[in-house]
Amino acid sequence: MIRQSIQKQTGFSAITAIVMVVLLALMGAYMSTFVSVSALNTSSSEGAIKAWFAARSGVQWAVHRVLSTGTCVNVNGQAITAGLDGFTASISCVETAAITEGSATYDIFDIDVTATRGAIETFVSRTINVTVTDNSAP
């Protein structure tokens, strides 16, 4: 007669395998979230740079118009969209004061340009404020 020895199995390997699978699943979920957030940050940075350049373009347009006409009338409340890659540059212009120094009179203009694009999840906005005068310093 052949005698077989029956050993008591404890299941230690099965428990180790389950713990390893759970840990690997958690690491995979974490890495997936990490990659998604990293991609979103990169996209936001790119949008912020584009918004700054769109606002800068609006400032250049507004300064040119104000200095060529000497007034904020045709600039204030304008919204520019042409050539701004989907951004809208909203312009606000205020003639703050006329200053006289000696024989020279300076008109001072405060120009605010806000470039915006996107909806709630992808909204990007940048504002630039400049102050210009229509007369150069002596």
Side-chain angles (χ1 to χ4, degrees):
M1 184 161 148
I2 301 177
R3 213 172 164 168
Q4 295 180 347
S5 69
I6 299 175
Q7 294 181 350
K8 189 176 180 183
Q9 296 182 0
T10 59
F12 182 74
S13 296
I15 292 173
T16 303
I18 291 172
V19 168
M20 293 297 287
V21 167
V22 169
L23 287 176
L24 288 174
L26 289 173
M27 283 178 42
Y30 172 75
M31 290 305 292
S32 175
T33 303
F34 182 75
V35 168
S36 297
V37 169
S38 178
L40 183 60
N41 285 340
T42 301
S43 176
S44 295
S45 294
E46 178 186 3
I49 291 168
K50 287 182 177 182
W52 185 83
F53 278 110
R56 179 98 174 150
S57 296
V59 165
Q60 291 175 351
W61 180 86
V63 167
H64 172 72
R65 294 291 299 246
V66 165
L67 294 181
S68 65
T69 64
T71 183
C72 283
V73 172
N74 295 326
V75 177
N76 195 25
Q78 290 289 327
I80 302 170
T81 57
L84 297 182
D85 193 26
F87 284 89
T88 299
S90 302
I91 300 168
S92 170
C93 180
V94 176
E95 187 173 350
T96 57
I99 297 175
T100 302
E101 290 182 344
S103 62
T105 300
Y106 303 91
D107 290 320
I108 299 174
F109 304 93
D110 282 330
I111 300 171
D112 291 320
V113 178
T114 302
T116 58
R117 178 180 73 179
I120 292 173
E121 291 107 21
T122 60
F123 183 76
V124 178
S125 175
R126 287 293 178 266
T127 300
I128 297 178
N129 176 280
V130 295
T131 302
V132 295
T133 182
D134 63 350
N135 199 347
S136 60

